[in-house]
Amino acid sequence: MEGGEIVLSKAVDEAVDPIVVHPEEVGELEGSVSLSTPNPWGHGVTGVNLPKYNPSSFPESDRVKIPTSSTFIDHDDLIYRVAVDLKRGRVPMLWGPAGVGKTQLARHIAYLMQVPFERIPLGETSEREDVTGHYELKGASTEWIQSRLARSFTKPGVICIDEWNAAPPAVLHVARPVLDDSAALAVDAYDGRILLKHNHCFIIATGNPDWMPQYAGLLPLSESDADRLSHISVGWPKGEVEAEILLNHIGANDLDKVTAWQLICGLRAWADLRENIDSGSLGITAGTRSLMNFVECLQYHPVREAMAKVYQRMDAQTYSKVEQVLDHHNWARYQNPSALEMCASHPDPVAELMNKMAVESVEEECTPAVCDNCGVDLKPCEECGNGPCGMCDCEC
């Protein structure tokens, strides 16, 4: 009180700058990996270099995330196209149906660079906390738990954000800064701290095409998000690429009961399924992943049961169409050699398999099996899904 007047003093808080979290000094750079492609403007090749790390230089918590092997087989120059985007500081958005290898491609990039791989799946139930972090009650106090995305943001590595376009708009709004040139992520839900992205932290996004009928319900990306991304289409692999993937999978898992002819029929059946998908008559997925699952099931089950393991998850009418595609092929035509035997006896088993596919006409493949006794055409056995294969009692 001064001179009979009451003076009210108001404390004015000084503005406090947010905490800036700089990139961590972790991992030892030991060189680079060169990725090239035939020069589209002339002779020779054009290429880019990405950093390569010494995996043993990372702490154990990061080292266990470094892929030690990769089964991805490149096609359509996908590795080079992704590497170019990473080199120029953009986020590649891999568009494609389920099971074509989008996530495997991102993991393969991490394998080439020998850096930790972090997969962040998004979906309709994702929340803002999945991007930055959340408070967790521990005893009588609360503790801030940083998200996996935020923890990986300041270190060398590859972050794969799966199904980017499946997340709610509120989540994408929080995640949008990871697409910007600013390379910073603000953790407003905590204390406003700003995380600075490591120069060798590479982000790859994936998404299923919202314009395909089987992905109805997905919202298209906003124009602002789409404009920040670099878009790459990942389609069905070519026949020889898929054949190599299957043969590698059979060899790695010792699937000695799968015949080479079953592989040919499987490749043809999946080609037929994809034609139906592309024409809009089937609203399912028929990626390489589902084909690998089917081929693996052939080791233990007859054809129809193997197909049921993969596709009996839909309405009866749709599954009936899948069965029609299956029955179009005579799976029991040849019992030998097994796929493993073919790999052991031929220097280039992929070329041999593709040659068999070319020689055997569709008309010959679809010739129905006949009964040895009466010559009547036999329908596939309801028990095993094959013709007269000796696995069951097929009657005339």
Side-chain angles (χ1 to χ4, degrees), residues 21-66:
V21 180
H22 292 271
E24 297 183 35
E25 294 183 3
V26 59
E28 179 184 331
L29 191 64
E30 67 173 12
S32 63
V33 55
S34 180
L35 302 166
S36 60
T37 187
N39 190 346
W41 299 283
H43 300 291
V45 297
T46 181
V48 296
N49 291 327
L50 292 178
K52 185 175 182 179
Y53 277 77
N54 177 2
S56 62
S57 65
F58 287 90
E60 185 180 13
S61 58
D62 291 326
R63 193 166 60 245
V64 295
K65 300 177 182 179
I66 301 175

Side-chain angles (χ1 to χ4, degrees), residues 213-234:
Q214 58 266 46
Y215 304 113
L218 290 178
L219 296 175
L221 288 179
S222 67
E223 188 61 25
S224 60
D225 282 337
D227 191 53
R228 288 176 166 87
L229 296 162
S230 183
H231 303 274
I232 298 175
S233 177
V234 182

Side-chain angles (χ1 to χ4, degrees), residues 38-335:
N39 190 346
W41 299 283
H43 300 291
V45 297
T46 181
V48 296
N49 291 327
L50 292 178
K52 185 175 182 179
Y53 277 77
N54 177 2
S56 62
S57 65
F58 287 90
E60 185 180 13
S61 58
D62 291 326
R63 193 166 60 245
V64 295
K65 300 177 182 179
I66 301 175
T68 57
S69 63
S70 176
T71 58
F72 183 81
I73 297 176
D74 193 22
H75 58 97
D76 301 318
D77 270 344
L78 287 173
I79 296 176
Y80 172 77
R81 291 159 64 190
V82 169
V84 167
D85 286 338
L86 299 181
K87 181 71 174 180
R88 63 195 188 97
R90 300 299 296 272
V91 175
M93 178 72 180
L94 308 180
W95 293 102
V100 295
K102 301 183 296 295
T103 305
Q104 283 285 19
L105 171 55
R107 186 180 180 276
H108 183 74
I109 296 293
Y111 166 73
L112 292 176
M113 294 191 290
Q114 286 295 279
V115 293
F117 175 71
E118 194 74 67
R119 177 174 176 256
I120 312 293
L122 296 182
E124 59 183 11
T125 60
S126 297
E127 299 179 349
R128 298 160 62 100
E129 289 77 7
D130 295 325
V131 176
T132 56
H134 64 279
Y135 281 103
E136 188 173 294
L137 182 62
K138 291 191 174 183
S141 61
T142 57
E143 182 178 334
W144 175 257
I145 306 297
Q146 210 168 34
S147 72
R148 288 190 294 120
L149 173 59
R151 289 199 304 270
S152 304
F153 198 68
T154 58
K155 304 176 184 180
V158 172
I159 301 174
C160 178
I161 304 180
D162 260 342
E163 316 303 341
W164 181 282
N165 58 330
V171 175
L172 297 181
H173 177 74
V174 177
R176 186 171 294 147
V178 305
L179 308 181
D180 291 336
D181 295 335
S182 62
L185 178 64
V187 189
D188 292 329
Y190 182 35
D191 57 3
R193 65 179 55 197
I194 299 173
L195 308 180
L196 299 184
K197 187 165 77 72
H198 195 285
N199 285 336
H200 293 160
C201 173
F202 300 103
I203 297 174
I204 300 174
T206 76
N208 298 133
D210 58 88
W211 54 89
M212 294 182 72
Q214 58 266 46
Y215 304 113
L218 290 178
L219 296 175
L221 288 179
S222 67
E223 188 61 25
S224 60
D225 282 337
D227 191 53
R228 288 176 166 87
L229 296 162
S230 183
H231 303 274
I232 298 175
S233 177
V234 182
W236 317 116
K238 295 178 181 177
E240 57 270 21
V241 173
E242 207 154 40
E244 184 176 357
I245 293 171
L246 293 177
L247 289 173
N248 288 345
H249 185 68
I250 285 174
N253 294 277
D254 196 26
L255 305 180
D256 58 343
K257 293 183 174 59
V258 180
T259 68
W261 180 248
Q262 286 178 322
L263 277 192
I264 292 175
C265 290
L267 288 165
R268 287 176 170 172
W270 254 249
D272 293 343
L273 288 173
R274 290 163 185 172
E275 285 185 9
N276 283 272
I277 292 170
D278 292 340
S279 67
S281 61
L282 267 179
I284 64 172
T285 59
T288 305
R289 180 174 58 207
S290 60
L291 178 54
M292 290 171 64
N293 184 17
F294 170 72
V295 168
E296 191 170 311
C297 287
L298 289 175
Q299 173 77 5
Y300 310 98
H301 304 290
V303 175
R304 274 181 173 266
E305 189 173 339
M307 184 65 88
K309 287 275 189 176
V310 179
Y311 280 120
Q312 204 167 44
R313 60 178 190 261
M314 55 196 66
D315 62 274
Q317 184 177 1
T318 303
Y319 187 64
S320 176
K321 291 181 180 179
V322 173
E323 287 185 315
Q324 289 174 16
V325 172
L326 183 75
D327 294 342
H328 179 70
H329 304 275
N330 179 13
W331 296 82
R333 184 176 183 188
Y334 299 116
Q335 299 300 310

